[in-house]
Amino acid sequence: MPELPLKDPAPADDATDEPRPGRIRKPIGWSMIVIAVLVAVSATLVWRRDGIDGVLQILTHDLALFGGILPRVLAGCLLGAFIAEILPHEKVSRSLGPNSGLKGLLIGTAFGAILPGGPFTAYPVASALLTVGADFGATIAMVVSWTLIGYGRAIAWELPIMGTDFTLWRIVISLPLPVLAGALGRFVYVRMYPKAAP
C-alpha cells in the first residue's frame, strides 16, 4: 500500500517505473538456448562435411568479425546510456510519452528519419528513449522511420544506385508507415498492459 501514493501522483515518473517486458535482460534466456542449439547443430553438420578444419576456419573468421563489431556495440551501448542520463525525463515524457498523441508519433518519426548510423546507434538510442519516458508508440515510430526513411542510407546508397525518382517516391510512400506503426503499438500496448497505461 505505501507504494501506490509514490506512483500515482507523478505521471512523468510512471513512464520510467512502468513495467516493460524485456527491460531486464538475462544472460541466458530461451532465445539464447535456441541459438546455442542451432549453433551446435550447424557446427556438427560442418564437422561431418569438412572435418575439424572447416569448423576452426569458421570459428576464427567469426572471432575476427566479433572483434571488429565489439567496439561499435560498446560505443552504441555507451551512447544509449549517456543519452538516458542527459535527456530530461519530464520533457521526453511530455513530448514522446503516452499522452503526447499524434505529436509524439510525428516527433518520433522525424527523429528516426534524421538519426544517423546503423543498428549499433539506433537501438541503444531507442532503448534510452524508453528508459527516460518515451512510450512504445513513439519509440516504434522512431525505429520504423529509421528503418524505412533514414536519410543516411538514402543519400549514401539508394540515391546513387536507384536514382532520384525512385528514392523520393519510396520515401513519400513510406512517410505514413512509421506513424501508423506507432499508433498500432500504442493501441496494442494499452490493451496488453492496462495497469501500465496512463
Side-chain angles (χ1 to χ4, degrees):
M1 293 304 272
E3 290 183 5
L4 289 176
L6 293 175
K7 284 189 173 184
D8 288 342
D13 291 336
D14 279 348
T16 58
D17 292 340
E18 68 185 28
R20 296 185 194 270
R23 297 301 301 150
I24 298 173
R25 295 180 180 92
K26 298 177 182 176
I28 297 177
W30 65 269
S31 61
M32 181 64 188
I33 293 170
V34 169
I35 291 171
V37 169
L38 291 174
V39 167
V41 170
S42 301
T44 303
L45 293 174
V46 170
W47 174 73
R48 290 185 64 187
R49 191 189 70 183
D50 300 332
I52 193 69
D53 291 337
V55 175
L56 289 176
Q57 183 180 2
I58 292 172
L59 183 62
T60 54
H61 176 270
D62 284 355
L63 285 174
L65 180 66
F66 177 72
I69 290 175
L70 189 60
R72 286 181 258 177
V73 173
L74 178 61
C77 291
L78 287 172
L79 176 65
F82 288 138
I83 286 176
E85 288 298 317
I86 292 169
L87 289 176
H89 293 215
E90 296 80 15
K91 289 184 179 177
V92 172
S93 182
R94 193 166 48 248
S95 300
L96 297 170
N99 297 321
S100 61
L102 179 61
K103 181 186 82 169
L105 299 178
L106 292 173
I107 291 173
T109 299
F111 183 63
I114 64 170
L115 183 67
F120 303 117
T121 302
Y123 292 113
V125 168
S127 177
L129 288 177
L130 283 174
T131 302
V132 296
D135 76 324
F136 271 35
T139 308
I140 288 171
M142 189 217 88
V143 172
V144 172
S145 176
W146 170 79
T147 304
L148 293 179
I149 302 171
Y151 85 94
R153 290 186 308 279
I155 292 174
W157 297 102
E158 193 172 359
L159 201 59
I161 295 171
M162 304 300 294
T164 306
D165 288 344
F166 179 88
T167 304
L168 288 177
W169 277 109
R170 200 267 310 157
I171 289 174
V172 168
I173 291 168
S174 300
L175 280 175
L177 298 178
V179 177
L180 293 173
L184 181 60
R186 277 186 182 160
F187 177 82
V188 170
Y189 182 75
V190 166
R191 275 145 190 82
M192 286 184 67
Y193 307 101
K195 291 182 181 179

